[in-house]
Amino acid sequence: MSTSTDKLVEEPRMEKMVELNGNLLNRERSMSCSCVDRCVCISNNLAMSALYPEMRFSWEIKSVDELFYNNLNRFGDLSKEAIIQAVKDKDLRFLKEDSNKSLLSEKKFSKECIRICVKETRDISLIEEMLDFFLEANDETRRNVTFLIREAITSAVKISGDNLVIGILEYLQANKKMKTLTDTSELLEDAVYAASVEQNSETLNSILRWNQSNRLKKLSAKGKVFSGATNLKINCSSIIHAAKRNDYERVKILFRYGYRLEQRDNMTDPLKKIELFKAMASPAYIISSLENSTEGSTDFFCPVKMCFEFAVEANFRKSTIPEYKREYDEIENRCEEYAISLLEQCEDLGEVETFLQTKHGTNHANYILAILDSRMKFVAHERFQYVLLKKFGETEIEDNYHSYTNTLWIDMPWFSRFLHVLKQVPCYFLLFLYPFFYPCVYPSKMKSTPIPWFCKEWRVPLNRAIYTAFSYIIFITLIISYVLEPPVPYIYWVDALLGVFITSYSLRDLGTAFFLWRLEGPNPNERRFKKRYFTFWNNYNITMDILFMIGLIIRSLEYILDGPIVQVAAVEAAGRIFWGVAFTLAIIKTIKIGIASKHFGPIILSINMMMKDVCMFLITFFVIMLAFSCGVSYMFNYLSNGTNTSTHGIFSYFAWVLLQPFRGNPDYDEVTNLPYDPDCLAELAEKSSELNINSIGSCRMETMYNTSCMASRLVSLVPGQIYKNDMYECIISRRLGAENLKTAVVPMWVIYQFLVSVVLLRILIVMMTITYRKIYDNLDTQWKYSRLYLAIQFFDPDSLLPPPFTYLTLLMYLIRMVAKKADMNKIKEGRLKKRESQIPSEYKNLLFAFIDNVKPCPKPERPKGGGSHMDIAYH
């Protein structure tokens, strides 16, 4: 053996081993060296792969080296690595080896091979060769073909390989075997979805154009003419993903090629419902739908109103499906924030008025819907506030005879405000002339006549609010005078005026309900109407109206039925009960005016929101009180001999613990109506000049006899010969039972006191603190919204006049319905049509200008799980 070259001396045997491609090296472990000319000695730690100079690829050399040095411990892994390296080197000879089919049958590994082939080689011929292999290799690989094609398409989209994606799709169309195993339309949708996920507009356009041209070719081949209509694709995953991410660019492209979203009532999966609703409510889909609709078609809609509708729906679902509160809260905020972004595009006061639709009286104006649908952040915006407060103080009458300065209440000093209120006093009392000056209140442009100054004042929303305050002050004055019990001549006038005011306020509340119902249009939404109408203050007014009306009916019956035959004392007492409660509610309602003040507003809002906390607390307290009261009452009824004389006292005693915590445990004589010993009372009267409840308590008689025991004794004993000792057992059994009962009541009372006085009351305090903190953190928004919500009722010029002039408005409504003057109706209809033809065009032009400036953009998705950014980007 030569030490310089490390050649092997036994050449014939070694050349044979070389011809066997080194296979004998695994068995000839006793040999220290290998072949002649081309092999080296193992003992010198030289590479065993030197035996194979014909190997051209790095993965082959590396695999052989590791195969010998690791003694076949990781044969499978090394084979996978070798195959992957071969794919990278664009060498697919391993596909011809049957031994590799078992490895390539693994779904995960075959996916990795396809992914590497697409990303590393970017050669469509190699991709087709690999897919053909998986199609024909065996049944296992054939089952994975659809999955592998999807992986190839996704990988091609990720590297922005438009030609590569189109090549794969054309391969699917041309390969008939692939069509039998896969759904090409579904794989096409996978390609569209992948392009939407990657936010690759160029690739997405290429895929959709190819699909459209391919459909055109098919129609041409069949001799049909392409009509130009696009087949709508409803609720596809691609547009759902793009829309819920608010990806406007991708949604616009998909919408152009016929992708649409529709609400399905038969959908039962709650997660799919949320995803679909989130996509439909996204500003990106709303704007794309608007841009693809023609201006004069029925598909045209206002995106601001649409955002409000979706926000209201999300708010409703958030309250009814608390499990998905976070998702629906995100949808609500996104819709409202986009509406605010459009509002912020206004550059002057005129654009804000046009955008909010405050220039002309329409019930479906944006500012009315924003207030009614509780869009607090939108309403609290400084531009919204200024325009609405400006509208609140300006007249709605325009003429050429008198100039009228707008009254901006927030800009007026206190002294000017006071003078303005005094100025409205004569205007208020002149409201009885309303039927005579009705044409002046609603002037026609065809007739230019001077308008009296008080008619202008009547049309200012601020002044209508002042007139309503005057009426309520008179109403409260009547209530106080009624409480003072006026003498007989005056009580009739007070009753008559109260009747007028009570019915007028009831009619105004009905008018509010009619106004809100009229807003619903021809297809009313009962749930939305209930949410708008049954608010805290409207429910408060409804309750007060019911109490007043019942009391008024009873008061009327007193006048009708009073006489020697009918006794109305009970009826009169019932009427006083209803009116007494109604008087209390009416006077408390005066604090509502404090909402307009920034100092008192938060306090009133806190009371409003804390009522829910109080109701929840009272329900819990009632359940606990009922449980312990029933238990203690059942125990004490044993001492009352089954007469239930202690039940009422026990329930009263336990209920008052709420206002008198930490009272002593109830004794039997404290909760039971026991009789008094007359001899004891007479003795106390002789000894003391003054008696109180504590002094006479010692005279109460506690019956300690068991009546059933006494009855059995009377039957067994001789009549007329009954002695004290005969009843002794009846007395002693009762006394023993009383001691045991009193011992059992004490721990129950301690537990009850602890639950109510320590736990529940502290919880109520904490709940109220949290509620007030929420209001305080959002104080400015809450107060600004509540202030305008209070004022919105005065923006409607057709609303009923305040009491006692309400019936005059109803009279004019009746006259208008009966008269039906054709000439006035034609003039009015022409004026309305002219306004409707001008206002929408101005509003639409402004709206499209704002949309062009503010395009919805997707927010970066938050990483899921605990992976790194690189891991997320990779997947």
Side-chain angles (χ1 to χ4, degrees), residues 533-585:
Y533 182 63
F534 293 105
T535 59
F536 174 80
W537 286 112
N538 283 340
N539 293 333
Y540 191 96
N541 293 337
I542 293 172
T543 304
M544 190 171 62
D545 292 339
I546 292 174
L547 295 173
F548 268 121
M549 291 301 296
I550 295 175
L552 181 62
I553 293 172
I554 294 175
R555 185 62 176 169
S556 302
L557 291 176
E558 292 180 24
Y559 284 106
I560 297 172
L561 302 177
D562 193 10
I565 300 177
V566 181
Q567 182 67 29
V568 294
V571 177
E572 182 180 358
R576 284 183 173 267
I577 292 173
F578 284 105
W579 267 15
V581 178
F583 288 169
T584 303
L585 295 177

Side-chain angles (χ1 to χ4, degrees), residues 246-398:
N246 208 25
D247 190 355
Y248 168 74
E249 293 297 332
R250 261 57 63 182
V251 172
K252 181 177 66 174
I253 296 172
L254 293 170
F255 205 97
R256 190 190 309 136
Y257 284 93
Y259 287 79
R260 299 291 188 272
L261 295 176
E262 289 183 2
Q263 190 68 37
R264 299 292 176 85
D265 296 332
N266 57 354
M267 189 176 295
T268 57
D269 190 342
L271 295 179
K272 290 183 178 180
K273 280 185 177 181
I274 294 175
E275 295 297 319
L276 180 59
F277 180 76
K278 188 175 183 179
M280 294 183 64
S282 66
Y285 185 77
I286 294 173
I287 299 304
S288 299
S289 303
L290 178 65
E291 292 177 342
N292 283 272
S293 62
T294 58
E295 187 173 340
S297 66
T298 57
D299 297 335
F300 186 84
F301 60 89
C302 175
V304 180
K305 295 181 177 63
M306 186 66 67
C307 286
F308 288 161
E309 290 182 6
F310 280 119
V312 171
E313 181 67 20
N315 183 272
F316 172 77
R317 296 190 181 189
K318 178 177 64 176
S319 58
T320 55
I321 313 176
E323 294 83 4
Y324 305 103
K325 179 180 179 180
R326 183 181 62 83
E327 287 80 359
Y328 286 120
D329 190 62
E330 180 183 350
I331 296 172
E332 181 183 6
N333 292 333
R334 185 170 64 177
C335 291
E336 189 169 3
E337 287 173 359
Y338 185 73
I340 294 174
S341 65
L342 293 177
L343 175 62
E344 291 176 345
Q345 296 300 309
C346 299
E347 297 180 353
D348 53 41
L349 187 62
E351 290 186 352
V352 179
E353 291 177 343
T354 304
F355 181 78
L356 297 179
Q357 299 177 326
T358 61
K359 289 184 177 181
H360 303 276
T362 171
N363 293 333
H364 294 84
N366 289 336
Y367 77 95
I368 293 179
L369 298 180
I371 296 175
L372 292 178
D373 292 336
S374 303
R375 299 300 97 211
M376 292 188 182
K377 290 188 291 185
F378 186 83
V379 174
H381 197 276
E382 58 273 8
R383 301 184 182 183
F384 190 103
Q385 289 283 312
Y386 186 83
V387 169
L388 264 292
L389 292 176
K390 176 178 176 294
K391 180 180 175 61
F392 189 63
E394 65 184 7
T395 183
E396 299 164 353
I397 297 178
E398 300 177 359

